[in-house]
Amino acid sequence: MVKSRRRKNVFPYVALLPAAVLVLGLMVLPIGATIWHSFTNWDGVNSKFIGFKNFELIFHNPIIYSVFVNSLIFLISVPLILVASLIAAVLVYEKVLGWRVFRFLFFIPMVLSPVIIGVLFSTFFLPGGAVDQVLRVFGLGNFSWLGNPWSARVVVILALVWASFGFGMVVLLSAMSTVDTALYDAAAIDGASWWRRLRSITIPMISGSLQFLSVINVIYTFTSLFAFVYVITAGGPGFSTTTVDYYTYITTFENGQFGYGAALALLLFLIVLMLTIAQVKLFPNREVQQGS
Amino acid sequence: MASISIEEVSKVYPNGFNAVRDLSLNVAEGEFMVMVGPSGCGKTTALRMVAGLEEITSGTLRIGDRVANQLTSKERDVAMVFQNYALYPHMSVAENIAFGLSLRKTPKVEIKQKVAEAAEILGLTSLLDQKPGLLSGGQRQRVAMGRAIVRDPSIFLMDEPLSNLDAKLRVQMRTEVRRIQRRIGVATLYVTHDQTEAMTMGDRVAVMRAGVLQQCDQPQVLYNQPANLFVAAFIGSPAMNLFDATLSEDGTTLRLGSQDLAMGEQLIQLRPGLAAYRGRRLVVGLRAEDLPVYGNENAAQAVLKAHVETTENLGSELLVHFSIDAARVGGENLGDTGELEIVAAIDIIGEGVARVEPRAPVRAGEDALFAVFPERLHFFDPESQIAVS
Amino acid sequence: MQSRLSRGLVFVVLCLIGVTTVYPLLFMALNSMRSTQAFELNPFGLPTHLSLSSYSALFSTVPFFQSILHSLFVVVPAVILATFASSLAAFVFTKVPIKMGNVLFWTMLMIMFMPGIVVLLPLYVEVARTGLSNNFAPAILIYTAINIPYGTYLLRSNFRSIPDSVVEAARVDGASWYKIYLRVILPIGKPGIITVGILTFLNIWNDLFISLVLLHAPNTEMVTPTLAQLSGKYTSNIPVLMAGLLLGALPTLILYFATARVFIRGMLSGAVR
Ligand SMILES: Nc1ncnc2c1ncn2[C@@H]1O[C@H](COP(=O)(O)OP(=O)(O)O)[C@@H](O)[C@H]1O
Ligand SMILES: [Mg+2]
């Protein structure tokens, strides 16, 4: 038997190289460094191993608790985003006159930076701003929306919902497009009302996507509110709108406590991980698998 | 042009599944070899190993006189037609056909000429600028053929290329595919699960079951001398009638249920192997057309009496569905991939089919007599399932 | 929902939602052309005469035009690099049989869910230590890296819808893996790749966090930090602020308007999850 030479197929390794090098060097290594430095008193120059001291400090810091509670409060935005996305998706799916235009328009917030959205919302809610002027008509004006903890949170949540419902709508629309329309016809013949069809067909069929959106938005609320908070309230008044990720930013980059910041960042990751697992466990994916 | 030689080739998938076992098969230059077998028996796996799309676990594959185990598809110089055609959706028909040539840096003029030639052979000339998405199933099938023939490959592989076509077109394309293959004269390995297709198209037919080659021969030989029970049951339509029977001690009488069929001395003379089965059970096989209605023209020593259940008049012939009180050996279970106990699949009432002359005096609900000829019977060992000759 | 009345109702609600998404754009555009005094009298007023003074005020107080250029300078190469690297990786993960492919992919997915700050913290220190802060190169590479896992994830589900047999047909036709990528995967996957490219563009252009941390000197500042600073400086001068916001949003809006057909189709094809 003639033994033919076996040439190694190098293509896959060469093709993976750019992604692998960048992800390894600029993500995996830094993650490792963060884990290591969460056990040091790193200030950017000097670092000394101090065991679990950072974590102890974190758990003894009263501000951390209020900051964590803030992040939990902002979770109210998640069901709001889901409802807004669902309403938008279901209504667009009705395909009334101009539905493509509406779909196009509902995407617009998704294209804008949180910075722009944040600045816009804070402008609207400024004393003497648009909202104030409208309220004055009803004799309610001169309310400092951003000067009061609860109303400041409301403004951030509104901005967040407005920014996020477009993406949610797309995900739901894409899930709805895979639902067999024969199901709706059958239900209509059975005399099911519009509500009934929504509740008994649409929502169960897209429950997997709803779960996906919920997971994504919870993660987002915990890790990515930085830009909104930065431009709308800068965390205030007091610490009332400071989220975990924003607080981590301040301690790390403004106060230069890198070891402490690293511990906070890791804690943030653990929280997100637990919330994700909890959601996946709490809402078993009931989405009916269609097709192949 | 080259021959294909598969020597004791096996395939074990990474999950441990042994899809092809010690397959040995030769396809001569210009030969049209059909590999047939029920779904899941390893045909596609075998074909893909020849194509270079699947690694060969053990054994040797030669294309021409080169060992091809480690060669890429490109080096093997194979062409393949896929079951779902696998046309490039972003290319026109002409570009689809030309793709292989353009990869080989064939001069543009030559490509153009060859594509035109292939399109001419396949009747695609008017469709060259279309995208595959707009074509009908039959047209796509032709494009897939065109893509394969235009390259003048060394060998030609086809995986159920007709099974996505409607029945009429499928029959039409059988002759078409054979015509094209004769014209280019390349060794072809053609896979199908349809035994009619295999019998009508193949120079030779290889019957597979659960990864194991059962028999490989010319269609007539497979039909007349099936090597085992599986081939007997799989090849032919309607399927061969298979019954549980017992040979008498003296070897002259066959007991089928409650009936004794007198076969005479000639039975063992015709099939010396039967001598070992005196007084033992065996499986007897009768083709539907070998059961004419007993009468003057069909005088025979042995007569089988059966109850006629229904008849189907096909114009040129009459299919008679009958039942006797002998246990039938289940053919429908033969389709499974796993090892199976054929003789275990036994009914209490055995049903069978006879193909008789259309004006034969047979009526549903009545009994009928069929002539049985010893030389037309098939015998199989009930345990090993191997033909007794 | 068949009756004319209920369809009318759906239309009205859609219009209302539409107004909320369009009005902010109009608000920016209209008020950027009004004077500060006019705005304070009535934030809902229309411009009485075309006044571009806000724009000149914007350009004279912050290097706004430069910040747009800086953003482009970072975003364009990062988008190209990230989309290219992701498409190659997704191709290997879906169509090339390699050992450990799945392990690599799931590792990448895990990394995708890391909060950005976990990654950025040591990078910031390292960049500062090596004297590379306020340098575009590290920012480009970091943005690229951070967008690769998501891009790979999206393109993987996209390439999965290309039948394996088409790739196999190309192999039998004699194409190398490289040729298959170039001549089969790229053309067939084009809509998906464009969609992922646009998403990556939006991600990076709109990001505040990394740009704020890595590029904070005036001669490197990108547009989002500039806008964030502007809001601090100009909360009292809304028209100037609106001029800035509008110009800052313009590149992404133009990109969206120009590619909406492909982009929306790509997003709807289920590629986003
Ligand atoms: N990649 C694979 N891994 C494991 N088992 C496989 C794989 N591909 C096919 N098989 C199994 O191998 C057997 C033969 O498959 P195949 O060659 O496709 O059969 P056929 O083409 O004759 O229908 C089947 O039982 C199938 O389930
Ligand atoms: Mg097959």
Side-chain angles (χ1 to χ4, degrees):
Chain A
M1 176 174 145
V2 188
K3 200 86 187 154
S4 68
R5 74 223 135 84
R6 172 124 188 98
R7 268 160 320 162
K8 261 242 158 313
N9 179 13
V10 293
F11 173 87
Y13 304 98
V14 174
L16 284 179
L17 208 61
V21 166
L22 285 165
V23 170
L24 260 182
L26 297 176
M27 295 190 84
V28 176
L29 280 184
I31 290 168
T34 302
I35 294 175
W36 161 247
H37 282 298
S38 68
F39 299 106
T40 70
N41 64 354
W42 197 25
D43 61 3
V45 186
N46 304 303
S47 92
K48 194 171 98 230
F49 185 81
I50 54 166
F52 285 92
K53 190 79 182 297
N54 286 327
F55 294 93
E56 261 167 55
L57 283 173
I58 290 171
F59 287 115
H60 287 106
N61 181 352
I63 296 172
I64 295 287
Y65 289 97
S66 60
V67 162
F68 181 67
V69 168
N70 286 336
S71 278
L72 288 180
I73 291 172
F74 283 127
L75 282 185
I76 295 169
S77 65
V78 176
L80 294 179
I81 290 168
L82 288 191
V83 169
S85 309
L86 188 63
I87 291 175
V90 167
L91 295 185
V92 166
Y93 195 71
E94 284 298 319
K95 309 206 166 150
V96 294
L97 180 72
W99 64 277
R100 283 172 208 276
V101 178
F102 290 119
R103 195 178 62 183
F104 171 81
L105 295 179
F106 295 178
F107 258 68
I108 289 175
M110 220 186 95
V111 173
L112 300 178
S113 168
V115 171
I116 292 172
I117 294 170
V119 174
L120 266 175
F121 271 75
S122 58
T123 308
F124 288 150
F125 286 94
L126 238 39
V131 174
D132 209 24
Q133 300 242 3
V134 172
L135 289 179
R136 267 178 211 169
V137 177
F138 302 98
L140 290 168
N142 288 330
F143 179 68
S144 172
W145 283 86
L146 299 175
N148 176 303
W150 280 103
S151 56
R153 288 176 189 140
V154 167
V155 175
V156 173
I157 289 174
L158 282 178
L160 190 55
V161 173
W162 189 77
S164 308
F165 86 95
F167 179 78
M169 176 193 72
V170 183
V171 170
L172 297 183
L173 273 178
S174 124
M176 285 159 73
S177 69
T178 64
V179 178
D180 188 353
T181 48
L183 280 178
Y184 292 106
D185 297 342
I189 289 166
D190 287 344
S193 67
W194 186 85
W195 276 114
R196 186 70 215 209
R197 273 176 272 162
L198 179 65
R199 263 180 36 225
S200 309
I201 302 177
T202 312
I203 292 181
M205 295 299 277
I206 63 174
S207 68
S209 296
L210 286 168
Q211 185 192 342
F212 166 81
L213 280 181
S214 157
V215 170
I216 289 288
N217 279 303
V218 168
I219 294 176
Y220 192 83
T221 307
F222 265 87
T223 62
S224 311
L225 287 201
F226 172 76
F228 289 101
V229 173
Y230 187 89
V231 295
I232 299 180
T233 63
F239 279 99
S240 63
T241 54
T242 302
T243 56
V244 184
D245 65 318
Y246 189 76
Y247 186 73
T248 312
Y249 169 83
I250 297 174
T251 44
T252 314
F253 297 107
E254 289 188 356
N255 305 349
Q257 298 167 282
F258 290 99
Y260 187 72
L264 264 174
L266 276 187
L267 218 54
L268 179 59
F269 171 66
L270 289 180
I271 293 169
V272 166
L273 191 68
M274 284 185 318
L275 283 172
T276 305
I277 293 171
Q279 283 185 88
V280 175
K281 288 262 184 276
L282 272 180
F283 311 105
N285 191 344
R286 288 174 297 131
E287 188 163 18
V288 183
Q289 296 297 325
Q290 289 194 326
S292 51
Chain B
M1 258 183 269
S3 60
I4 308 170
S5 141
I6 301 169
E7 293 157 26
E8 304 200 339
V9 163
S10 293
K11 174 70 191 181
V12 181
Y13 278 112
N15 66 3
F17 187 80
N18 196 175
V20 172
R21 299 158 192 247
D22 290 329
L23 175 67
S24 293
L25 199 65
N26 270 295
V27 188
E29 276 182 27
E31 186 180 22
F32 195 93
M33 169 73 80
V34 179
M35 188 182 273
V36 70
S39 162
C41 72
K43 308 178 297 287
T44 297
T45 305
L47 198 70
R48 287 168 55 87
M49 285 193 286
V50 177
L53 295 173
E54 203 75 70
E55 216 161 307
I56 296 172
T57 309
S58 66
T60 309
L61 169 72
R62 279 175 224 273
I63 295 174
D65 29 313
R66 280 195 304 173
V67 172
N69 288 43
Q70 308 290 352
L71 300 182
T72 62
S73 305
K74 183 179 185 174
E75 292 160 334
R76 294 180 197 199
D77 194 23
V78 298
M80 181 159 169
V81 178
F82 291 80
Q83 178 170 357
N84 61 3
Y85 316 134
L87 301 179
Y88 309 119
H90 58 297
M91 300 182 192
S92 69
V93 168
E95 288 165 336
N96 260 283
I97 297 176
F99 187 61
L101 292 175
S102 74
L103 286 170
R104 286 173 174 72
K105 309 243 178 322
T106 315
K108 283 233 161 53
V109 189
E110 197 183 329
I111 293 182
K112 218 172 157 151
Q113 181 211 330
K114 285 195 162 179
V115 169
E117 211 173 286
E120 184 66 45
I121 295 174
L122 291 159
L124 287 170
T125 309
S126 62
L127 299 172
L128 282 175
D129 294 328
Q130 301 254 10
K131 289 270 167 69
L134 301 169
L135 303 182
S136 71
Q139 290 166 336
R140 281 180 212 196
Q141 210 283 327
R142 284 159 193 271
V143 177
M145 292 282 296
R147 191 168 64 178
I149 63 172
V150 76
R151 275 178 25 216
D152 299 325
S154 305
I155 61 172
F156 207 2
L157 307 173
M158 301 193 218
D159 190 0
E160 314 219 5
L162 306 183
S163 64
N164 284 354
L165 302 180
D166 64 58
K168 195 166 165 214
L169 196 56
R170 188 156 58 219
V171 174
Q172 217 174 310
M173 285 303 289
R174 283 181 198 156
T175 30
E176 187 85 336
V177 169
R178 271 317 313 254
R179 181 178 66 82
I180 291 161
Q181 190 267 346
R182 286 212 179 85
R183 183 167 168 156
I184 60 176
V186 163
T188 301
L189 185 54
Y190 181 106
V191 159
T192 178
H193 65 267
D194 179 346
Q195 61 89 24
T196 317
E197 201 167 291
M199 297 295 279
T200 50
M201 293 178 78
D203 290 330
R204 283 194 297 156
V205 175
V207 183
M208 295 274 291
R209 174 194 175 200
V212 179
L213 178 65
Q214 305 290 307
Q215 188 175 7
C216 173
D217 221 314
Q218 288 158 10
Q220 276 318 305
V221 178
L222 288 185
Y223 191 80
N224 294 327
Q225 294 154 41
N228 60 36
L229 209 44
F230 178 80
V231 177
F234 190 77
I235 299 292
S237 173
M240 186 188 281
N241 302 302
L242 294 164
F243 296 108
D244 188 33
T246 310
L247 189 62
S248 63
E249 286 291 347
D250 62 4
T252 59
T253 315
L254 201 60
R255 187 163 185 84
L256 252 178
S258 59
Q259 303 184 51
D260 279 320
L261 306 187
M263 296 280 120
E265 298 293 338
Q266 55 164 325
L267 184 63
I268 290 191
Q269 283 164 17
L270 280 166
R271 292 199 183 69
L274 281 178
Y277 289 83
R278 289 174 201 270
R280 286 176 56 194
R281 279 179 58 210
L282 37 58
V283 176
V284 63
L286 303 109
R287 292 261 179 226
E289 64 271 26
D290 292 337
L291 280 172
V293 173
Y294 182 76
N296 293 337
E297 297 152 49
N298 293 306
Q301 223 168 326
V303 177
L304 180 68
K305 186 174 155 200
H307 184 73
V308 177
E309 303 283 347
T310 57
T311 60
E312 277 179 82
N313 195 335
L314 303 179
S316 61
E317 64 197 30
L318 188 67
L319 287 186
V320 182
H321 297 268
F322 63 82
S323 62
I324 57 174
D325 61 353
R328 186 172 67 102
V329 175
E332 60 270 25
N333 292 346
L334 292 167
D336 291 2
T337 50
E339 292 302 320
L340 46 95
E341 280 283 309
I342 291 180
V343 183
I346 280 176
D347 304 337
I348 299 162
I349 294 179
E351 290 173 358
V353 190
R355 189 194 310 219
V356 302
E357 204 246 327
R359 279 170 300 278
V362 184
R363 254 169 294 282
E366 296 176 358
D367 283 353
L369 299 178
F370 297 101
V372 177
F373 302 95
E375 68 275 17
R376 298 200 202 159
L377 295 180
H378 302 268
F379 295 97
F380 304 93
D381 183 287
E383 256 75 60
S384 70
Q385 303 180 10
I386 292 172
V388 179
S389 55
Chain C
M1 191 169 268
Q2 294 306 326
S3 79
R4 209 166 249 220
L5 185 72
S6 47
R7 289 186 79 79
L9 199 68
V10 169
F11 184 78
V12 170
V13 178
L14 285 172
C15 283
L16 286 177
I17 306 175
V19 166
T20 73
T21 62
V22 176
Y23 180 68
L25 295 187
L26 287 177
F27 186 86
M28 289 192 280
L30 294 177
N31 285 314
S32 70
M33 290 184 282
R34 301 170 72 206
S35 70
T36 315
Q37 295 88 327
F39 176 81
E40 275 166 5
L41 277 174
N42 178 11
F44 303 106
L46 295 172
T48 44
H49 60 280
L50 200 66
S51 150
L52 294 179
S53 60
S54 304
Y55 288 90
S56 51
L58 176 70
F59 289 122
S60 64
T61 43
V62 286
F64 192 80
F65 187 65
Q66 282 92 317
S67 77
I68 295 253
L69 284 183
H70 297 154
S71 273
L72 282 175
F73 197 76
V74 171
V75 176
V76 171
V79 167
I80 293 171
L81 273 174
T83 312
F84 173 70
S86 304
S87 70
L88 273 172
F91 169 52
V92 173
F93 287 144
T94 49
K95 301 296 175 201
V96 188
I98 57 160
K99 292 195 180 75
M100 311 279 287
N102 265 333
V103 177
L104 283 177
F105 173 73
W106 286 106
T107 312
M108 220 181 220
L109 213 61
M110 282 289 292
I111 295 169
M112 189 169 104
F113 285 108
M114 278 283 165
I117 194 158
V118 176
V119 175
L120 202 61
L121 194 148
L123 285 176
Y124 168 75
V125 176
E126 194 56 27
V127 164
R129 201 179 59 77
T130 48
L132 289 172
S133 42
N134 293 314
N135 195 314
F136 289 121
I140 292 172
L141 290 178
I142 290 169
Y143 269 126
T144 305
I146 281 185
N147 279 284
I148 284 175
Y150 189 50
T152 307
Y153 170 73
L154 294 184
L155 286 176
R156 177 175 170 267
S157 56
N158 200 275
F159 291 170
R160 275 179 146 180
S161 62
I162 302 174
D164 288 350
S165 61
V166 171
V167 172
E168 289 173 348
R171 278 171 71 191
V172 171
D173 261 345
S176 60
W177 287 114
Y178 164 71
K179 277 276 162 61
I180 293 175
Y181 171 73
L182 212 62
R183 296 189 57 182
V184 178
I185 297 292
L186 284 189
I188 302 179
K190 200 160 97 188
I193 294 170
I194 292 175
T195 304
V196 169
I198 295 169
L199 274 177
T200 310
F201 186 99
L202 295 176
N203 267 347
I204 306 179
W205 184 277
N206 290 339
D207 172 72
L208 175 65
F209 190 49
I210 297 174
S211 55
L212 196 60
V213 170
L214 290 181
L215 301 172
H216 40 72
N219 61 339
T220 54
E221 199 171 63
M222 288 168 66
V223 73
T224 42
T226 306
L227 288 174
Q229 314 306 339
L230 199 64
S231 84
K233 264 184 219 158
Y234 279 89
T235 28
S236 54
N237 194 338
I238 304 295
V240 175
L241 193 54
M242 291 303 125
L245 292 189
L246 187 65
L247 290 183
L250 218 48
T252 55
L253 285 174
I254 291 173
L255 180 69
Y256 173 57
F257 291 169
T259 60
R261 280 176 69 93
V262 182
F263 182 55
I264 293 179
R265 183 145 28 91
M267 297 284 290
L268 285 174
S269 70
V272 286
R273 55 154 297 192

